[in-house]
Amino acid sequence: MSGAFLAGVVAGYGIAVPVGAIGALIATLSARESLRVGAAAGLGAATADGLYAMLAVAGGAAVAGLVAPIATPLRWVGATALLVFAAATAVGAIRRRATPPAERGRPTGVLRAYLGILGLTLLNPATVVYFAALVLGGAGGGLWFVAGAFLASASWQLLIAGGGSLIGRLLTGTRGRLVTALTSSTVVAALAVAMVL
């Protein structure tokens, strides 16, 4: 039990710690909206990691083999979705700055943040290949491995959400939010392009 759980924890941190486009989105949602929204987004990413760990434990090489032929199209879909998100964030920030606070739109909800990041994270089939390689290599298996991977990913994503929330509180002015939104959009767009190159 403890060996499989620890292997899952190491695997979960291994996939979650390198901050990419999803981490940037989680931090941005926390900074722009609230810690609750950022935490929901982080849990969406962790749920995807947990689902992929479960698939790897259940199917191993067979799942990785099924995903491999569609990995490139999924990467393109993911990159496109990230570019659309980056553009929407930038345009929204510019419009929000020009709009009086009383007329600004409704903030992103917790469920929308969770489902959106879950969907974007599921578009990364490399995660299931990563977990399958670890499981097949003897790193562990079973539900304890999945639980360890999910909890490690969740703890890291929540740390990112907390950091984003802290930054959001420090930059509460209109100009600060505009600058962070535009910076985030640029980073997410660059990471999206890097996904397919």
Side-chain angles (χ1 to χ4, degrees):
M1 170 191 103
S2 64
F5 179 77
L6 290 176
V9 167
V10 170
Y13 280 127
I15 200 70
V17 167
V19 176
I22 298 298
L25 290 175
I26 292 167
T28 298
L29 285 169
S30 256
R32 194 179 70 213
E33 302 293 339
S34 70
L35 178 57
R36 284 184 51 200
V37 171
L43 291 175
T47 300
D49 289 345
L51 289 172
Y52 274 146
M54 190 179 305
L55 276 174
V57 166
V63 172
L66 289 172
V67 169
I70 61 169
T72 298
L74 282 176
R75 206 169 17 258
W76 278 99
V77 169
T80 302
L82 288 170
L83 286 171
V84 168
F85 183 87
T89 298
V91 169
I94 292 166
R95 285 184 181 158
R96 199 171 15 259
R97 183 161 191 242
T99 306
E103 297 175 22
R104 292 182 185 162
R106 195 178 64 172
T108 302
V110 171
L111 183 60
R112 183 175 172 198
Y114 174 83
L115 294 175
I117 297 298
L118 171 64
L120 282 173
T121 308
L122 287 174
L123 289 173
N124 183 9
T127 305
V128 75
V129 174
Y130 165 80
F131 283 127
L134 290 174
V135 169
L136 294 173
L143 290 178
W144 286 111
F145 177 84
V146 174
F150 170 77
L151 290 173
S153 179
S155 68
W156 183 257
Q157 306 304 346
L158 292 174
L159 180 67
I160 290 172
S165 180
L166 178 63
I167 291 169
R169 288 196 182 136
L170 293 174
L171 301 171
T172 56
T174 306
R175 182 175 292 161
R177 290 193 180 266
L178 175 65
V179 168
T180 57
L182 293 177
T183 301
S184 169
S185 296
T186 303
V187 168
V188 170
L191 291 169
V193 170
M195 258 177 74
V196 294
L197 295 181

